Each structure stands twice: as C-alpha cells, then as structure tokens.
Amino acid sequence: MPRQLVLISLFALMTATAAGQNTNSSTTSPTRGAGTNTNRSASPPKPTDTQKPAVTPKAVKPIPPKPKVVTTPAPGPDTVPAAFDRLLNGIRKADVKAVTGVYLNSPSLVLFNNNGTVTRGWEQMRKNRQSSYPDLKDVKLDVRDLAVTMLGRDGAVVTCLWTQSQTYKDVPETATGRMTLVFKRVGKDWKAVHLHTSPDKPDPSRVMPSEETPATATPATATPSPTPKP
C-alpha cells in the first residue's frame, strides 16, 4: 500500500475514534445532569389513596317530651237556661215530678217563698207541691228581664221578674214578683240549690217607712196580691 494511502486511512480512523468519544461524552453528561436536576426539583409523589380527615358528628340535641295536655271534661248537654225552662214548664203544667226534679235532692235545700215562709229540705218541698198542685188549673207563667250569671264552671245565678195567673180551688188569682235561683252543676246536670221569691209590689205593712218609694206607698187598706205557687 502506498504510504500516502496508509496515512489517509490512519487519519480517518483517528478522526472516527475522536468523534465517537465526543459523542459519548456529550450524550452522557446531559443525561446525568438532567437526572440530577429532575430528582432535586421534582415534587414528592402524591399518594394514590387520599385519606379524608375524620368528621366529628354533630351532637344531637335531645328532644324534650311534649307536655301532656290535660283537658277539662266538657259540660254535659244540660245547661242552666235549659234547667230553668224545665222548671217553668213544670210549674205551668203543675207537674210535681218535673218541678222537684230541677231542685237538688238534699236536706240542705232552702227556699224563701213569696209569702215570706221558708221551706227547708227537698222532701218538704216535694210534699208542699204534692199538696197544692192538684188544686191548680190554667196556670200561666210569664218571665221577663231574665239574666243568667255564671259563677265559674259549676255555679250560676238566675234572676227574673215573673207574672203568674192561675185558678186555685176554682178561684182566679194573679201575682207578680222577683225571683232568684242559684244553680249548681252536679255531674252533667244543673240543679237548683236555692230559691228566693218576693213580691215586686209588697204589702206596705211589710215595708219600713224609710224604704218606701212612690211605687210601694199605697193605701194601707189595699188588698195584697195572691201568693203564686212557684
């Protein structure tokens, strides 16, 4: 081989070797540097399963028990006006059972009668009605200025003016007066526990002079009105 050709080949071989070394050096160095920089700047790996913070349950407020509602039993179907009407109808019919049934069956029952007498006890009141009612006929009883005053749930006062006409032992008679009845609720019924009747035009002899008014000041010879039988 000529000398010149050998030199050219040797030069080419050296060039190729140098090029290979340069290539390896430039390729490896950035790789190492990149690897180092990447490891330093990279964020730590995030866990795949994220654990949520524990939630404290809210305290449950105890619900206070509802208060028991205690209702007062409603009164029965009977009312004070209804009981009073039964009394009036019983008088108009001279019905002993109907009239005495309105009053409280008790020895403490007290009645102040229109003629000034006093009846004590239910039994005595019943005997008086049984004695007088058979002789009564054509009884007419009118009530006006009726007032009912409730005293709580179990008491009431009834006041009125009344006019009663009738035939007693075949003799017609008429009278007027004022009446006060005290009622008490017993169970589901209203019972009269006290009666007070008085004439609205009393005999002047029964009125003190200091209490006389032009309406009551009548001649002493006037005949008093007959006594009704309420």
Side-chain angles (χ1 to χ4, degrees):
M1 175 180 297
R3 180 181 176 86
Q4 187 177 1
L5 182 58
V6 173
L7 290 175
I8 292 172
S9 297
L10 181 60
F11 179 77
L13 178 60
M14 291 175 64
T15 302
T17 302
Q21 290 178 353
N22 292 335
T23 300
N24 292 338
S25 175
S26 63
T27 301
T28 303
S29 232
T31 301
R32 291 179 181 176
T36 303
N37 293 336
T38 300
N39 291 338
R40 291 178 181 177
S41 61
S43 300
K46 296 181 179 180
T48 55
D49 295 332
T50 304
Q51 183 177 1
K52 296 181 179 179
V55 178
T56 304
K58 295 181 179 180
V60 179
K61 296 182 179 180
I63 300 176
K66 295 183 179 180
K68 294 182 180 180
V69 179
V70 180
T71 57
T72 304
D78 195 19
T79 62
V80 176
F84 183 66
D85 286 342
R86 288 199 301 272
L87 176 63
L88 298 181
N89 292 331
I91 295 173
R92 294 179 181 120
K93 298 177 181 178
D95 187 335
V96 175
K97 184 177 180 180
V99 171
T100 57
V102 176
Y103 291 93
L104 180 66
N105 189 343
S106 171
S108 63
L109 178 68
V110 177
L111 286 73
F112 294 161
N113 303 309
N114 191 65
N115 60 3
T117 62
V118 179
T119 301
R120 300 182 184 279
W122 183 88
E123 189 61 33
Q124 185 61 52
M125 180 268 298
R126 183 184 63 83
K127 290 179 180 179
N128 293 346
R129 301 299 184 268
Q130 288 178 335
S131 174
S132 62
Y133 278 12
D135 295 322
L136 292 178
K137 295 179 181 179
D138 303 324
V139 179
K140 295 180 181 179
L141 177 59
D142 297 322
V143 173
R144 62 190 184 279
D145 294 340
L146 175 65
V148 178
T149 303
M150 299 301 299
L151 305 177
R153 291 176 58 87
D154 299 325
V157 174
V158 177
T159 58
C160 67
L161 293 172
W162 54 265
T163 299
Q164 184 171 333
S165 62
Q166 59 200 16
T167 299
Y168 182 66
K169 293 183 177 181
D170 299 329
V171 177
E173 57 184 16
T174 302
T176 61
R178 304 178 188 278
M179 175 165 57
T180 300
L181 274 164
V182 180
F183 281 90
K184 177 182 179 181
R185 186 158 68 92
V186 181
K188 295 182 178 180
D189 299 322
W190 286 96
K191 297 293 184 179
V193 297
H194 177 64
L195 166 71
H196 190 157
T197 58
S198 59
D200 58 345
K201 296 178 180 180
D203 182 356
S205 64
R206 298 169 57 186
V207 180
M208 293 186 297
S210 61
E211 295 182 351
E212 288 187 0
T213 63
T216 60
T218 57
T221 56
T223 303
S225 301
T227 301
K229 306 294 182 180

